[in-house]
Amino acid sequence: MAPKFKSNLELVKQVDCFPNSITEPEAFSERMADHARLMYLSHTVGYIIPSVLEALQDKELSGEWWEFTPGVVRLLGDTEEVRTKNIGETLDRWRKAKRFQVLSGWRNEMYTIYAPQGKPCFIMERSATPLFGVIAYGSHMTVYIPATATSPMKLWVPRRAAGKQTYPGMLDNTVAGGMGDGANPWECIIKEAGEEASLEAEYVRAHAKAVGYVSYFYVRHKEAGGEAGLLQPEIEYCYDMVVKEPSEGGPVPRPCDGEVDEHLLMDVEEVKMHLADGKFKPNCSAVLLDFFIRHGILTAENEPDYLEIYARLHRRLEFPTR
Amino acid sequence: MAPKFKSNLELVKQVDCFPNSITEPEAFSERMADHARLMYLSHTVGYIIPSVLEALQDKELSGEWWEFTPGVVRLLGDTEEVRTKNIGETLDRWRKAKRFQVLSGWRNEMYTIYAPQGKPCFIMERSATPLFGVIAYGSHMTVYIPATATSPMKLWVPRRAAGKQTYPGMLDNTVAGGMGDGANPWECIIKEAGEEASLEAEYVRAHAKAVGYVSYFYVRHKEAGGEAGLLQPEIEYCYDMVVKEPSEGGPVPRPCDGEVDEHLLMDVEEVKMHLADGKFKPNCSAVLLDFFIRHGILTAENEPDYLEIYARLHRRLEFPTR
């Protein structure tokens, strides 16, 4: 059987897979019919799927910190601190009861969920964010060697550790990591560059460049770890960093914290091939396609789905953000 | 009185000013209450404001090529050719009757309006597109000299001709132009680079780089020419072109077709100042802010409205596209 290669649009659809209310209003309404909105004042901060709603409504299991009206869930608590404490109590109970597999990947990393005007609404354990369909933030960096007259552009591509909990063995962006409470995107990428790729902070500060962000609404596959179908809208700040060839003194990313098995130097055609072959972690495909569009590798003339791909990589989410 | 400088978010709000159904659902519904949808099959291809709806419903004035149901207008005709002929007849009559000021800027340039899957739905006179709230396409290029150790980044900035019909005397992107029927974004920017800035086609082909697009939903100010309040959703393909300093042999853009009075070489701080001072044509501000974000000049750390600015520069429109 011939291998089935994925188009770039198919790659984007794997990561931006929750129906869009603007372009697919009927599919969106249908999907939302059995989802509840997690609301703070008049703002929706996340979507809750039926299996999570059911757990929340079980007061013995989840506690009495939740208020339910048709289609709407509210986390009780008058201040950020109280709301943070309340959701923390619920999550501790779920974890002890092994109620959701996804919590077996407990990280002890706190993520901030925002109210309007960038004010924190509450803070919660990272691994639980997809249970509430709230926005998770991260920073991703593409480290590359520009094309020359005789050599194509090359990208540094890590292979995730075979033993990693999520997407083991898949290809990744050069540096990538989630952004915990109190962090900012720039410090996040510098820290991750050290931890994941042994790149010196001083070097990264001098050479990395902020280039925007990608946003999408991911519905988790089983490779993400935990239950399939959990909701994970994300905003990933993107950075580019130009480096020289190793033979010319350019830095060589090296595994450091055990999250990565090896760093490969691939030219653009190899990266495209591995993308089409489904070898990259889904949201890393999104970052790479954005990189290809910003660098004139994918264009309106060579990519029939150019407009839709780029639009979906910059999806507007209805939730308040940082 | 102290001058009132505009924030970057205010600049974006000037060009993306139609309510967004995702983030402002109530304002969107309220606005749409008296607008009709221009529909083709089950797809909305434009929005029609009350004054235009009234003109369309006057059969003596506008002909019998329009069908009305509550909130919906359809252009009759079973084929693209017939629909194109029918809307053309209506527009000719409006023009002769001087029914809309905006048609005094008649261009004799045909723009394509798309059905799903990028198929043309009909073709129409450029100056009339804001009467139907259909997507207009264009290409914009930022020509710049990168920063060096001793010199900041500089951009080539044209001043529009004082006698130009739209936005006379305002600052603009280095090269910019609308994309007529049958054109593609790349050929469009090469043609405009010659016509507006005397840049040689061969040079532009070798040095310009596609870098994505900006999209927004503009509601026309009076400076756009014609009636204020007309609807102009747009997709502008963006290109960057690195050049050398003129003193090092870099090309110098020169006025050519009378649309531009002069080309100025400004450093980034000057461009920012003129942006804040409202000196740039609104959609050129959008292209420049996207450029600043892609080049790490505006970042999540130095621009409090970073997420919203970039999201609004990549607005998803509900209409089918190329």
Side-chain angles (χ1 to χ4, degrees):
Chain A
M1 226 174 82
K4 169 73 180 81
F5 290 111
K6 293 188 174 73
S7 71
N8 292 321
L9 181 56
E10 285 169 329
L11 292 170
V12 173
K13 284 182 176 175
Q14 285 196 322
V15 66
D16 181 47
C17 43
F18 195 85
N20 186 311
S21 65
I22 292 185
T23 52
E24 309 154 90
E26 283 157 28
F28 177 78
S29 297
E30 204 175 300
R31 182 70 160 258
M32 288 300 286
D34 68 1
H35 287 32
R37 287 168 177 272
L38 177 61
M39 294 196 72
Y40 170 68
L41 304 176
S42 62
H43 304 275
T44 302
V45 301
Y47 299 153
I48 296 176
I49 60 176
S51 58
V52 177
L53 182 60
E54 195 188 323
L56 282 173
Q57 286 176 326
D58 176 346
K59 290 193 178 180
E60 214 162 309
L61 171 69
S62 304
E64 308 215 347
W65 306 290
W66 302 89
E67 183 185 273
F68 305 92
T69 48
V72 173
V73 174
R74 289 174 186 279
L75 169 57
L76 298 180
D78 287 339
T79 62
E80 177 201 333
E81 288 69 27
V82 175
R83 289 187 292 270
T84 295
K85 181 170 165 296
N86 288 348
I87 192 170
E89 293 264 9
T90 298
L91 294 177
D92 277 341
R93 292 175 179 212
W94 286 358
R95 186 186 183 193
K96 280 176 198 144
K98 299 193 195 307
R99 184 64 177 77
F100 291 101
Q101 287 168 39
V102 73
L103 298 181
S104 68
W106 195 274
R107 303 259 203 158
N108 279 320
E109 274 180 59
M110 297 302 277
Y111 269 32
T112 312
I113 313 309
Y114 290 88
Q117 272 89 51
K119 296 201 182 83
C121 183
F122 57 89
I123 301 172
M124 69 185 291
E125 156 62 22
R126 174 176 180 172
S127 60
T129 55
L131 294 170
F132 294 87
V134 292
I135 298 180
Y137 298 84
S139 291
H140 287 236
M141 181 157 69
T142 305
V143 178
Y144 70 102
I145 301 170
T148 66
T150 55
S151 173
M153 178 192 276
K154 294 175 195 159
L155 283 69
W156 279 108
V157 175
R159 184 185 307 279
R160 295 165 71 88
K164 204 165 155 70
Q165 199 173 44
T166 60
Y167 309 98
M170 294 191 85
L171 302 176
D172 207 328
N173 296 131
T174 322
V175 176
M179 205 170 80
D181 179 50
N184 74 35
W186 176 242
E187 296 302 332
C188 174
I189 203 67
I190 291 166
K191 176 172 148 287
E192 294 286 344
E195 290 178 4
E196 289 192 346
S198 314
L199 292 164
E200 282 182 22
E202 202 176 336
Y203 187 91
V204 177
R205 282 184 196 282
H207 295 88
K209 191 174 83 166
V211 293
Y213 64 87
V214 294
S215 51
Y216 46 82
F217 202 131
Y218 182 49
V219 180
R220 284 164 68 105
H221 305 114
K222 69 174 176 7
E223 294 78 10
E227 292 80 356
L230 300 183
L231 306 183
Q232 192 168 331
E234 288 192 310
I235 290 181
E236 304 287 7
Y237 293 87
C238 295
Y239 297 85
D240 285 357
M241 187 163 78
V242 173
V243 296
K244 292 183 183 168
E245 291 274 1
S247 63
E248 292 170 1
V252 175
R254 289 188 322 274
C256 178
D257 61 1
E259 307 262 306
V260 167
D261 272 349
E262 57 179 339
H263 290 85
L264 307 159
L265 190 55
M266 293 186 189
D267 67 34
V268 167
E269 290 307 315
E270 288 175 274
V271 174
K272 281 185 180 173
M273 194 190 70
H274 290 303
L275 278 168
D277 204 17
K279 293 286 192 278
F280 276 91
K281 182 181 168 224
N283 70 341
C284 298
S285 305
V287 171
L288 284 168
L289 293 173
D290 178 70
F291 179 91
F292 286 168
I293 288 175
R294 288 186 292 98
H295 286 270
I297 294 165
L298 291 181
T299 69
E301 289 75 30
N302 70 21
E303 170 51 68
D305 301 310
Y306 189 75
L307 290 178
E308 186 173 356
I309 289 169
Y310 198 61
R312 292 180 81 137
L313 293 175
H314 299 91
R315 175 163 178 166
R316 189 76 192 250
L317 302 165
E318 71 165 300
F319 315 125
T321 58
R322 286 182 79 231
Chain B
M1 225 173 85
K4 170 74 179 79
F5 290 110
K6 292 187 174 72
S7 72
N8 291 322
L9 181 57
E10 285 170 327
L11 291 171
V12 173
K13 284 182 174 175
Q14 286 196 321
V15 66
D16 182 47
C17 43
F18 195 85
N20 186 313
S21 64
I22 292 185
T23 51
E24 309 155 90
E26 283 158 28
F28 177 79
S29 297
E30 203 175 301
R31 183 69 161 259
M32 288 300 286
D34 68 1
H35 287 33
R37 286 168 179 272
L38 177 61
M39 293 197 73
Y40 170 69
L41 304 177
S42 62
H43 305 276
T44 302
V45 300
Y47 298 154
I48 296 176
I49 60 175
S51 58
V52 176
L53 183 60
E54 193 187 326
L56 282 173
Q57 286 176 324
D58 176 347
K59 289 192 178 182
E60 212 163 312
L61 170 70
S62 304
E64 307 214 348
W65 306 289
W66 302 89
E67 184 184 274
F68 305 93
T69 48
V72 173
V73 175
R74 288 175 189 278
L75 168 57
L76 299 180
D78 287 338
T79 64
E80 177 201 334
E81 288 70 26
V82 175
R83 289 187 291 270
T84 295
K85 184 171 163 292
N86 289 348
I87 192 170
E89 293 264 10
T90 298
L91 295 177
D92 277 341
R93 292 174 179 212
W94 286 358
R95 185 185 183 194
K96 280 177 195 141
K98 298 192 193 309
R99 183 65 176 77
F100 291 101
Q101 287 168 43
V102 72
L103 297 181
S104 68
W106 196 274
R107 301 259 203 156
N108 280 318
E109 273 180 60
M110 297 302 278
Y111 269 30
T112 311
I113 312 309
Y114 289 88
Q117 273 88 49
K119 296 203 181 80
C121 185
F122 57 89
I123 301 172
M124 70 185 294
E125 157 62 22
R126 172 175 180 173
S127 61
T129 55
L131 294 170
F132 295 87
V134 292
I135 298 180
Y137 297 85
S139 291
H140 287 234
M141 182 159 68
T142 305
V143 179
Y144 70 102
I145 301 169
T148 66
T150 55
S151 172
M153 178 191 278
K154 294 175 195 160
L155 282 70
W156 280 108
V157 176
R159 184 186 307 282
R160 295 165 71 86
K164 203 165 154 73
Q165 200 174 41
T166 59
Y167 309 99
M170 294 191 85
L171 301 176
D172 207 328
N173 295 131
T174 321
V175 176
M179 205 170 77
D181 179 49
N184 74 36
W186 176 242
E187 296 302 331
C188 174
I189 203 67
I190 291 166
K191 177 172 147 285
E192 294 286 343
E195 290 177 5
E196 287 191 349
S198 314
L199 293 165
E200 282 181 23
E202 203 177 336
Y203 187 90
V204 178
R205 282 183 196 282
H207 294 88
K209 191 175 82 167
V211 292
Y213 64 88
V214 293
S215 51
Y216 47 82
F217 201 132
Y218 181 49
V219 180
R220 285 163 68 104
H221 305 113
K222 68 175 179 0
E223 295 77 8
E227 292 80 357
L230 301 184
L231 305 183
Q232 193 167 329
E234 289 192 307
I235 290 180
E236 305 285 7
Y237 293 88
C238 295
Y239 296 87
D240 285 357
M241 188 164 76
V242 172
V243 297
K244 291 183 179 168
E245 291 273 1
S247 63
E248 291 169 3
V252 176
R254 290 188 322 276
C256 177
D257 61 1
E259 307 262 306
V260 167
D261 273 349
E262 57 180 339
H263 290 86
L264 307 158
L265 191 55
M266 293 184 188
D267 67 34
V268 167
E269 290 307 314
E270 288 175 275
V271 173
K272 282 186 179 171
M273 193 190 70
H274 289 303
L275 278 169
D277 203 16
K279 293 286 190 279
F280 276 90
K281 183 181 167 221
N283 70 340
C284 297
S285 305
V287 171
L288 284 168
L289 293 173
D290 178 69
F291 179 91
F292 286 168
I293 288 174
R294 287 185 294 99
H295 286 269
I297 294 165
L298 292 181
T299 69
E301 289 75 30
N302 70 19
E303 170 53 67
D305 302 309
Y306 189 75
L307 290 178
E308 186 173 357
I309 289 169
Y310 198 62
R312 292 180 81 136
L313 294 176
H314 298 93
R315 176 163 177 166
R316 189 76 192 252
L317 302 164
E318 70 165 303
F319 315 125
T321 58
R322 288 183 78 230

Short mmCIF file of all heavy atoms in Angstrom, two decimals, chain B residues 19-39:
data_model
loop_
_atom_site.label_atom_id
_atom_site.label_comp_id
_atom_site.label_asym_id
_atom_site.label_seq_id
_atom_site.Cartn_x
_atom_site.Cartn_y
_atom_site.Cartn_z
N PRO B 19 -17.41 44.84 14.18
CA PRO B 19 -17.43 43.97 15.37
C PRO B 19 -17.12 42.51 15.01
O PRO B 19 -17.53 42.02 13.96
CB PRO B 19 -18.86 44.10 15.89
CG PRO B 19 -19.40 45.36 15.31
CD PRO B 19 -18.67 45.59 14.03
N ASN B 20 -16.39 41.85 15.90
CA ASN B 20 -15.97 40.47 15.69
C ASN B 20 -16.95 39.53 16.41
O ASN B 20 -17.20 39.68 17.60
CB ASN B 20 -14.56 40.32 16.27
CG ASN B 20 -13.95 38.97 15.98
OD1 ASN B 20 -14.59 37.93 16.17
ND2 ASN B 20 -12.72 38.96 15.51
N SER B 21 -17.48 38.56 15.67
CA SER B 21 -18.52 37.69 16.24
C SER B 21 -17.98 36.81 17.37
O SER B 21 -18.74 36.35 18.21
CB SER B 21 -19.15 36.82 15.16
OG SER B 21 -18.18 35.93 14.62
N ILE B 22 -16.68 36.57 17.40
CA ILE B 22 -16.11 35.72 18.45
C ILE B 22 -15.90 36.50 19.74
O ILE B 22 -16.28 36.06 20.82
CB ILE B 22 -14.76 35.12 18.00
CG1 ILE B 22 -15.00 34.11 16.87
CG2 ILE B 22 -14.04 34.46 19.17
CD1 ILE B 22 -13.75 33.38 16.43
N THR B 23 -15.31 37.68 19.62
CA THR B 23 -14.93 38.40 20.84
C THR B 23 -15.94 39.47 21.24
O THR B 23 -15.91 39.94 22.37
CB THR B 23 -13.55 39.06 20.64
OG1 THR B 23 -13.60 39.81 19.42
CG2 THR B 23 -12.46 38.01 20.56
N GLU B 24 -16.81 39.86 20.30
CA GLU B 24 -17.84 40.87 20.61
C GLU B 24 -19.17 40.40 20.03
O GLU B 24 -19.74 41.06 19.16
CB GLU B 24 -17.49 42.22 19.96
CG GLU B 24 -16.10 42.74 20.20
CD GLU B 24 -15.68 43.69 19.06
OE1 GLU B 24 -15.93 44.89 19.17
OE2 GLU B 24 -15.11 43.21 18.06
N PRO B 25 -19.66 39.24 20.50
CA PRO B 25 -20.86 38.67 19.86
C PRO B 25 -22.07 39.60 19.91
O PRO B 25 -22.83 39.66 18.94
CB PRO B 25 -21.10 37.37 20.64
CG PRO B 25 -20.31 37.49 21.89
CD PRO B 25 -19.16 38.40 21.59
N GLU B 26 -22.22 40.36 21.01
CA GLU B 26 -23.40 41.22 21.09
C GLU B 26 -23.30 42.40 20.13
O GLU B 26 -24.26 42.73 19.43
CB GLU B 26 -23.60 41.72 22.53
CG GLU B 26 -24.21 40.63 23.40
CD GLU B 26 -23.95 40.83 24.88
OE1 GLU B 26 -23.80 42.00 25.29
OE2 GLU B 26 -23.91 39.82 25.61
N ALA B 27 -22.14 43.02 20.07
CA ALA B 27 -21.95 44.14 19.15
C ALA B 27 -22.10 43.66 17.70
O ALA B 27 -22.67 44.37 16.85
CB ALA B 27 -20.57 44.77 19.35
N PHE B 28 -21.63 42.46 17.43
CA PHE B 28 -21.76 41.90 16.08
C PHE B 28 -23.23 41.72 15.72
O PHE B 28 -23.68 42.15 14.65
CB PHE B 28 -21.00 40.57 15.99
CG PHE B 28 -21.13 39.88 14.66
CD1 PHE B 28 -20.38 40.30 13.56
CD2 PHE B 28 -22.01 38.82 14.48
CE1 PHE B 28 -20.50 39.68 12.33
CE2 PHE B 28 -22.13 38.19 13.25
CZ PHE B 28 -21.38 38.62 12.17
N SER B 29 -24.00 41.09 16.61
CA SER B 29 -25.42 40.84 16.33
C SER B 29 -26.17 42.15 16.14
O SER B 29 -27.01 42.29 15.26
CB SER B 29 -26.09 40.08 17.48
OG SER B 29 -25.49 38.83 17.61
N GLU B 30 -25.84 43.11 17.00
CA GLU B 30 -26.51 44.41 16.91
C GLU B 30 -26.22 45.07 15.57
O GLU B 30 -27.12 45.56 14.89
CB GLU B 30 -25.98 45.28 18.05
CG GLU B 30 -26.90 46.40 18.47
CD GLU B 30 -26.33 47.12 19.69
OE1 GLU B 30 -26.11 46.45 20.73
OE2 GLU B 30 -26.05 48.34 19.57
N ARG B 31 -24.96 45.01 15.15
CA ARG B 31 -24.58 45.63 13.89
C ARG B 31 -25.24 44.93 12.71
O ARG B 31 -25.70 45.56 11.76
CB ARG B 31 -23.06 45.55 13.74
CG ARG B 31 -22.51 46.21 12.50
CD ARG B 31 -22.68 47.73 12.59
NE ARG B 31 -21.78 48.38 11.67
CZ ARG B 31 -20.62 48.94 12.02
NH1 ARG B 31 -20.26 48.98 13.27
NH2 ARG B 31 -19.85 49.49 11.10
N MET B 32 -25.29 43.59 12.78
CA MET B 32 -25.83 42.82 11.66
C MET B 32 -27.35 42.93 11.57
O MET B 32 -27.93 42.56 10.54
CB MET B 32 -25.42 41.35 11.79
CG MET B 32 -23.94 41.09 11.52
SD MET B 32 -23.42 41.58 9.85
CE MET B 32 -24.15 40.26 8.87
N ALA B 33 -28.00 43.41 12.64
CA ALA B 33 -29.47 43.43 12.65
C ALA B 33 -30.04 44.19 11.46
O ALA B 33 -31.06 43.80 10.91
CB ALA B 33 -29.97 44.03 13.97
N ASP B 34 -29.37 45.26 11.03
CA ASP B 34 -29.91 46.00 9.88
C ASP B 34 -29.08 45.81 8.61
O ASP B 34 -29.27 46.50 7.62
CB ASP B 34 -30.11 47.48 10.21
CG ASP B 34 -28.79 48.22 10.41
OD1 ASP B 34 -27.71 47.60 10.27
OD2 ASP B 34 -28.84 49.42 10.71
N HIS B 35 -28.13 44.87 8.65
CA HIS B 35 -27.35 44.54 7.45
C HIS B 35 -27.94 43.29 6.80
O HIS B 35 -28.49 42.43 7.49
CB HIS B 35 -25.89 44.23 7.81
CG HIS B 35 -25.09 45.44 8.20
ND1 HIS B 35 -25.63 46.52 8.84
CD2 HIS B 35 -23.77 45.72 8.02
CE1 HIS B 35 -24.66 47.42 9.05
NE2 HIS B 35 -23.54 46.97 8.56
N ALA B 36 -27.84 43.21 5.49
CA ALA B 36 -28.25 41.97 4.81
C ALA B 36 -26.99 41.19 4.45
O ALA B 36 -25.91 41.76 4.28
CB ALA B 36 -29.05 42.30 3.57
N ARG B 37 -27.14 39.87 4.36
CA ARG B 37 -26.04 39.04 3.88
C ARG B 37 -26.19 38.86 2.38
O ARG B 37 -27.28 38.53 1.90
CB ARG B 37 -26.09 37.66 4.55
CG ARG B 37 -25.66 37.69 6.00
CD ARG B 37 -25.98 36.40 6.72
NE ARG B 37 -25.52 36.48 8.10
CZ ARG B 37 -24.28 36.15 8.49
NH1 ARG B 37 -23.41 35.66 7.63
NH2 ARG B 37 -23.94 36.30 9.76
N LEU B 38 -25.09 39.08 1.65
CA LEU B 38 -25.07 38.76 0.23
C LEU B 38 -24.70 37.30 0.15
O LEU B 38 -23.58 36.91 0.54
CB LEU B 38 -24.05 39.64 -0.50
CG LEU B 38 -23.88 39.34 -1.99
CD1 LEU B 38 -25.16 39.54 -2.78
CD2 LEU B 38 -22.76 40.21 -2.58
N MET B 39 -25.64 36.46 -0.32
CA MET B 39 -25.39 35.02 -0.26
C MET B 39 -25.30 34.39 -1.63
O MET B 39 -25.93 34.82 -2.60
CB MET B 39 -26.48 34.33 0.57
CG MET B 39 -26.40 34.75 2.04
SD MET B 39 -27.32 33.65 3.15
CE MET B 39 -26.27 32.19 3.18
#
